[in-house]
Amino acid sequence: TFLGSNTIAGTSRCGPLMHIMAAAAASPAEAPAVDKSVFGRVADFAEQAVACEDIASAPFLEACAAYREGLCSMGPAAQVAVSDFDGNFTVVQAFFQKDSGNRATWKALCLDSGAPRVQLKWLLWGLEFFMTYLLKLWEGDWSGASTAYGLTLTNHHSFMQRLGFKALLVTLPGRDSIRNQRMLCPDHSGKEPLGKVVDRDVSRMVQGFLPAVCTALKILESI
């Protein structure tokens, strides 16, 4: 699979993006919104997950589950990502649930001798790619998917995987298409434009969830 193969190891590329996240996080908070998309729920759980230098496992995995809902709302092109995500997430989630008390933080989960390290890596690398893809799109990069791939997953893919994934990249939706995906906000009230709701929630999600993913990767790679 593209996001879940264990053939190539690599290092995280989150570091160069952290200054962008820090600058975005410093902006004033907006007033509470009437509507919230699936991406807004991801942001909510991500905010709960961040605790000092560690990550709270339960809300982080809830953020992952909400992220999956977002993927499923983005059309056929994202279904390959959904399939790969499921292959990793279900293993990680089941491992956490077997002893959630002793695996309450990401570090504790990763330190466990039975931790599914392969699935943990590919789960996080896939999340890193997708969050970076959205970050680049909302920065105005029309080639956001390709740019994000060059910063993230290409470091972990074999030559043949790169060829296959690059063909998939061109089918991923652009910013305008994502902003108009009604399935991202099924309870949209119409009090504000759907695009505005998605814009706000993508911003919150990238500001909160991408740094959380980066922290989770650093924790895993340090063990």
Side-chain angles (χ1 to χ4, degrees), residues 11-115:
T11 57
S12 170
R13 291 299 298 272
C14 288
L17 300 173
M18 295 307 291
H19 70 285
I20 299 175
M21 297 295 96
S27 60
E30 293 186 16
V34 174
D35 291 309
K36 183 180 294 184
S37 71
V38 173
F39 293 150
R41 290 175 48 221
V42 175
D44 290 344
F45 286 122
E47 290 171 1
Q48 296 173 31
V50 178
C52 299
E53 295 182 359
D54 206 339
I55 299 292
S57 300
F60 184 82
L61 293 175
E62 290 283 1
C64 291
Y67 154 84
R68 184 191 185 280
E69 290 184 44
L71 276 184
C72 291
S73 303
M74 291 176 62
Q79 296 314 300
V80 172
V82 173
S83 177
D84 281 329
F85 172 86
D86 287 347
N88 296 307
F89 178 69
T90 54
V91 173
V92 172
Q93 185 181 49
F95 178 74
F96 165 71
Q97 291 174 342
K98 285 180 180 178
D99 192 2
S100 58
N102 288 318
R103 299 165 184 166
T105 68
W106 201 251
K107 185 174 183 179
L109 187 151
C110 294
L111 279 170
D112 192 296
S113 60

Side-chain angles (χ1 to χ4, degrees), residues 97-145:
Q97 291 174 342
K98 285 180 180 178
D99 192 2
S100 58
N102 288 318
R103 299 165 184 166
T105 68
W106 201 251
K107 185 174 183 179
L109 187 151
C110 294
L111 279 170
D112 192 296
S113 60
R117 293 184 63 86
V118 171
Q119 287 82 7
L120 281 165
K121 286 180 181 179
W122 283 102
L123 172 65
L124 295 173
W125 285 337
L127 292 169
E128 180 190 26
F129 161 72
F130 201 84
M131 292 299 106
T132 306
Y133 153 58
L134 293 179
L135 169 66
K136 292 303 177 182
L137 285 183
W138 261 257
E139 285 180 340
D141 184 348
W142 291 96
S143 301

